[in-house]
Amino acid sequence: MRASLLAAALALAAPLQVSAQEPAGAEARQAGLAEIVDMVGVVVDAERQADPDRYTRLTDDDYRQVAEELGIEVAVIKAVVRIEAGAKLEGFWAPGVPVANYSASLYNRYAKKHKGRKIADGKVPEGLKGYALKEWTALVNARKKNADAADMGTYWGMFQIGGAHYKLCGCESVEEMVAKMSESEHSQLELFATFIKNAGMLESLRKKDWTSFARKYNGPSYARRGYHTRMAKEYAKFRDAEAKAKE
């Protein structure tokens, strides 16, 4: 249904130039386009209400699709998520509010190089508590001074990708990256897939070389924090669970 509505909207929007002699036709077309856009919004809202987790929680099919694209096992991706996002495997703290870990030291580093835009009227998202409230409060306050540096100095989503890597995620700006991070966990998964391909980490995952991957993904402190051994253990758990489910 949504596809047919979008097709109709595109058909109405196609004639970008309207003759000055046909104002009535232009107005009718614009009214029709607005109506269809509203209808599409209603359909999307209905879909979200029918299956609200689809826009936040990843499905096994989501994992499988991206795993096949990358040529790796589903258990491999889940192992990374488990370490980066925690036991709940969540990429959001609230609807439209992705997990965000703000770094003041990174902000100061990027603020010196990028003037950036300012979001003077920024507000902390409602409904946050504890650590989530603390991180988003710090982020919003930093955005009031330099939003680009603040977003670049923050680790985003279920895969905790630094905003400074927006180009490796296939985005034109850090603002675009944050917008995609805020869409859904599926968008976060796609950003992750693009990131590891562009950053030269894919082969390490294919080989399940956790030491090599953790060194590139988590930085020089990976060994002290045990990222490589923890990911290896989580991979084994997910792999065994999948094998048992197929029995």
Side-chain angles (χ1 to χ4, degrees):
M1 179 179 181
R2 180 165 35 155
S4 62
L5 287 173
L6 288 174
L10 290 173
L12 283 169
L16 297 180
Q17 293 184 346
V18 179
S19 171
Q21 297 178 356
E22 299 179 338
E27 291 177 1
R29 180 161 55 251
Q30 290 175 351
L33 177 58
E35 181 178 355
I36 289 178
V37 170
D38 288 342
M39 292 172 66
V40 172
V42 170
V43 172
V44 172
D45 287 342
E47 289 178 351
R48 294 193 181 196
Q49 291 177 8
D51 188 6
D53 287 345
R54 180 63 188 87
Y55 290 85
T56 54
R57 303 295 293 160
L58 288 172
T59 67
D60 285 339
D61 285 340
D62 292 330
Y63 280 113
R64 190 174 300 107
Q65 178 184 354
V66 173
E68 290 176 355
E69 291 175 0
L70 296 177
I72 60 179
E73 299 172 44
V74 170
V76 167
I77 299 180
K78 287 185 176 181
V80 178
V81 178
R82 174 63 180 82
I83 298 305
E84 298 298 331
K88 293 184 178 180
L89 306 182
E90 293 179 338
F92 285 82
W93 278 329
V97 184
V99 172
N101 284 289
Y102 169 77
S103 169
S105 60
L106 288 179
Y107 166 79
N108 290 330
R109 179 192 303 178
Y110 297 129
K112 294 178 181 178
K113 301 178 181 179
H114 305 273
K115 291 184 178 180
R117 57 204 162 84
K118 296 181 180 180
I119 306 179
D121 58 347
K123 296 181 180 180
V124 178
E126 297 181 359
L128 300 183
K129 298 179 181 180
Y131 183 77
L133 177 60
K134 170 180 172 293
E135 292 302 296
W136 266 94
T137 298
L139 174 60
V140 168
N141 288 335
R143 281 175 165 178
K144 293 178 179 180
K145 301 176 181 178
N146 188 327
D148 289 339
D151 290 347
M152 290 173 68
T154 298
Y155 295 96
W156 295 95
M158 63 194 310
F159 294 95
Q160 287 296 280
I161 302 174
H165 299 310
Y166 66 88
K167 290 184 179 179
L168 291 175
C169 290
C171 299
E172 294 295 326
S173 66
V174 66
E175 187 176 6
E176 178 187 352
M177 176 182 169
V178 173
K180 290 184 176 181
M181 283 286 183
S182 303
E183 290 175 352
S184 67
E185 288 188 354
H186 189 272
S187 294
Q188 294 180 6
L189 177 60
E190 291 290 352
L191 288 169
F192 167 75
T194 302
F195 174 60
I196 62 172
K197 285 189 292 186
N198 290 338
M201 302 181 193
L202 183 53
E203 193 60 27
S204 295
L205 281 187
R206 285 175 175 168
K207 294 179 178 178
K208 293 182 281 292
D209 185 344
W210 299 109
T211 298
S212 173
F213 176 75
R215 182 186 298 112
K216 297 172 183 177
Y217 198 87
N218 300 106
S221 65
Y222 82 93
R224 176 170 55 83
R225 299 188 179 187
Y227 280 105
H228 56 316
T229 57
R230 290 159 56 197
M231 285 184 189
K233 290 179 180 179
E234 294 301 330
Y235 162 73
K237 291 179 182 177
F238 286 119
R239 177 201 60 198
D240 293 347
E242 289 178 8
K244 186 174 181 180
K246 294 178 180 179
E247 292 179 354

